Every structure is written in structure tokens, then in C-alpha cells.
Amino acid sequence: MTLNEDVFEDVVLSSPVPVLIHFWAPWCGLCRRIMPLLNRFNGEWADQVQLFDVNADENFRLATQYQLQTLPTLLFIDSGQVIQRFEGFRGQDEFRRALDLLMSRYQLEQSYRD
């Protein structure tokens, strides 16, 4: 699902579950290459994490607010706070490992809280 600045706060910062935001742009080749991995991630973790896309070119205020310096940039946000930031991927394998590690850590933290 694609978000814009108008709904970002209501949807993301007020979400009862963690959110993974994918900042991308149409001209970004790696952004397009990781889309299938994000779709697969969404299928595996849809019950625990919401995934949203934000076009950085069309949402300059958000790009500035989150100090984007490269695309793609992904933010893992829980309870309105950025927990993890991903940027500068060198390929799909590295990206997939980073997502798997993120979710493993998150599940472990949740088990300690419960």
C-alpha cells in the first residue's frame, strides 16, 4: 500500500502494530529490484508487521523529516518510533538477510516483554 504525507501520521505513527516503510522513487533501480522481496516479506509477516511504500519524490516533507540520503531507505517503526533504519543495500541477498535479522530480533524482544 502506498502512503503520502496526508495520511502518514494517522496510519503509521498511530499503528497498533509495527510498520515497515519503504521509501523509494520511480528512477531508483534497486528500489524496483527489491519490490518482490518486500512482497514476499509482506506475505510472511503480514500478521505482525504492516508494509507501506512512500514515494520520496512526491513526499518531500517526509523525506526531509526522516533525513533520507539514499534510496531505497526502509524504516521499521514501532509505537511511533524508528527502531531500525536500512539504507545502502548492495543487493537482494543482503536485503533479505537484513529483513530476516530484523524480524528475529523483534520477535525475541517481544517474547521478553510478554
Side-chain angles (χ1 to χ4, degrees), residues 48 103-114:
Q48 296 179 44
M103 291 313 297
S104 296
R105 286 181 186 162
Y106 182 75
Q107 285 181 321
L108 185 61
E109 288 175 11
Q110 292 305 306
S111 68
Y112 285 128
R113 290 182 192 171
D114 296 339

Side-chain angles (χ1 to χ4, degrees), residues 3 9 14 17 22 27 61 73 88 92 94 109 112 114:
L3 297 180
E9 186 172 329
S14 302
V17 297
H22 171 223
W27 50 263
R61 185 177 56 83
T73 294
Q92 292 181 348
E94 177 184 341
E109 288 175 11
Y112 285 128
D114 296 339

Side-chain angles (χ1 to χ4, degrees), residues 90-107:
R90 289 183 284 277
Q92 292 181 348
D93 292 338
E94 177 184 341
F95 177 70
R96 181 62 192 192
R97 282 191 300 273
L99 287 178
D100 289 343
L101 182 60
L102 167 71
M103 291 313 297
S104 296
R105 286 181 186 162
Y106 182 75
Q107 285 181 321

Side-chain angles (χ1 to χ4, degrees), residues 25-114:
W27 50 263
C28 173
L30 186 54
C31 297
R32 289 190 308 271
R33 286 183 44 212
I34 66 170
M35 290 278 197
L37 293 172
L38 285 170
N39 289 335
R40 191 173 324 133
F41 172 85
N42 193 38
E44 293 172 13
W45 298 100
D47 58 331
Q48 296 179 44
V49 176
Q50 291 185 355
L51 173 65
F52 296 106
D53 294 317
V54 174
N55 183 327
D57 287 346
E58 295 176 356
N59 295 278
F60 186 73
R61 185 177 56 83
L62 288 174
T64 301
Q65 177 181 348
Y66 288 103
Q67 301 175 350
L68 302 186
Q69 296 184 13
T70 186
L71 293 176
T73 294
L74 289 97
L75 302 178
F76 186 74
I77 299 174
D78 189 17
S79 301
Q81 300 295 314
V82 175
I83 304 299
Q84 181 77 41
R85 181 182 189 100
F86 300 98
E87 45 189 5
F89 295 104
R90 289 183 284 277
Q92 292 181 348
D93 292 338
E94 177 184 341
F95 177 70
R96 181 62 192 192
R97 282 191 300 273
L99 287 178
D100 289 343
L101 182 60
L102 167 71
M103 291 313 297
S104 296
R105 286 181 186 162
Y106 182 75
Q107 285 181 321
L108 185 61
E109 288 175 11
Q110 292 305 306
S111 68
Y112 285 128
R113 290 182 192 171
D114 296 339

